[in-house]
Amino acid sequence: RGRYAGIGFWVINYLFQFFAMLLLLARGQAPDLLSMTGSNTLFTAGAIFVLIGLERFVEKPGRQVQNVILLVVFVLAHAWFTLVTPNQDARNILFSLALLFICVQCVWLLLRRVGAQARQMINSVSLVFVLFCVVNLLRLIIDLLIPESNIFFHSDGFRTSLIVLIQMLSIALNFTLFIMVNRRMFADLQRG
């Protein structure tokens, strides 16, 4: 009958991802600020909502001041590297740093702040966020060491592979969140 806290924040993330993808697809037709900065801001804000949802779900809510600051700095810097000094590498680095920062918070929440009893329920979600951290760190290193052409839809094979891997991890996250909620429901039914 009831609903678990945090799930609504995950729904907000899915809505943000949907609109971010629409903005990405509108690149060339929509203004750059909207299609580039707007889409990446929605992706980043969505990741923050996933973190907030996880915190509420595991009953360990935290302050989000650092993430509000992150989002403001991200938007301003991304807009700068979109309009004032266009630089695809700088935008990629900003995006990877922002996602890495948020994913590290998710890992810290799930592996350090949650009690041992709940860890069994969240192991698969923790693993997905660890993999997100690894992929974003790898993407960050590649972007720092090997400059990319400024043509977004013509990335090299390795960068394209990383983007596909991030999409696969996003799908895995959806499944693991679903499994986590089901495990909690099952545990609550056994207790109740």
Side-chain angles (χ1 to χ4, degrees):
R1 291 181 196 173
R3 214 176 54 186
Y4 292 115
I7 294 175
F9 290 100
W10 300 337
V11 172
I12 293 169
N13 166 57
Y14 298 134
L15 289 172
F16 279 19
Q17 284 187 26
F18 173 76
F19 288 112
M21 291 301 284
L22 288 179
L23 289 174
L24 275 179
L25 291 173
R27 189 156 175 196
Q29 283 78 38
D32 287 347
L33 185 65
L34 193 58
S35 67
M36 292 181 203
T37 302
S39 63
N40 284 306
T41 299
L42 286 172
F43 281 127
T44 304
I48 293 169
F49 279 114
V50 169
L51 170 64
I52 294 169
L54 281 172
E55 288 179 334
R56 302 274 170 96
F57 185 81
V58 298
E59 299 171 354
K60 298 283 184 184
R63 297 178 57 193
Q64 296 300 320
V65 174
Q66 74 281 3
N67 291 323
V68 170
I69 293 169
L70 167 75
L71 198 58
V72 169
V73 169
F74 177 82
V75 169
L76 294 174
H78 201 285
W80 177 269
F81 289 116
T82 299
L83 299 175
V84 180
T85 310
N87 188 325
Q88 175 83 32
D89 290 321
R91 291 191 306 266
N92 289 345
I93 289 166
L94 282 170
F95 189 63
S96 295
L97 276 173
L99 287 183
L100 181 61
F101 183 73
I102 296 163
C103 289
V104 164
Q105 291 178 75
C106 292
V107 169
W108 183 259
L109 167 70
L110 297 172
L111 296 181
R112 302 297 294 170
R113 290 177 53 203
V114 173
Q117 192 175 25
R119 280 201 194 109
Q120 190 98 1
M121 176 178 59
I122 60 172
N123 279 340
S124 55
V125 178
S126 304
L127 176 62
V128 171
F129 277 109
V130 167
L131 292 173
F132 265 122
C133 288
V134 169
V135 170
N136 279 302
L137 185 61
L138 189 59
R139 185 173 181 208
L140 181 64
I141 291 168
I142 295 299
D143 286 336
L144 286 169
L145 296 178
I146 306 166
E148 182 178 23
S149 71
N150 270 335
I151 305 170
F152 176 71
F153 290 111
H154 297 294
S155 295
D156 60 37
F158 188 72
R159 282 183 173 89
T160 302
S161 298
L162 287 176
I163 292 170
V164 169
L165 187 55
I166 288 171
Q167 291 303 310
M168 290 171 56
L169 286 173
S170 295
I171 293 168
L173 178 63
N174 294 334
F175 282 114
T176 57
L177 288 173
F178 179 76
I179 290 168
M180 180 178 70
V181 170
N182 282 335
R183 284 181 181 163
R184 184 165 172 189
M185 286 163 117
F186 185 70
D188 288 350
L189 285 172
Q190 284 184 326
R191 272 184 259 142

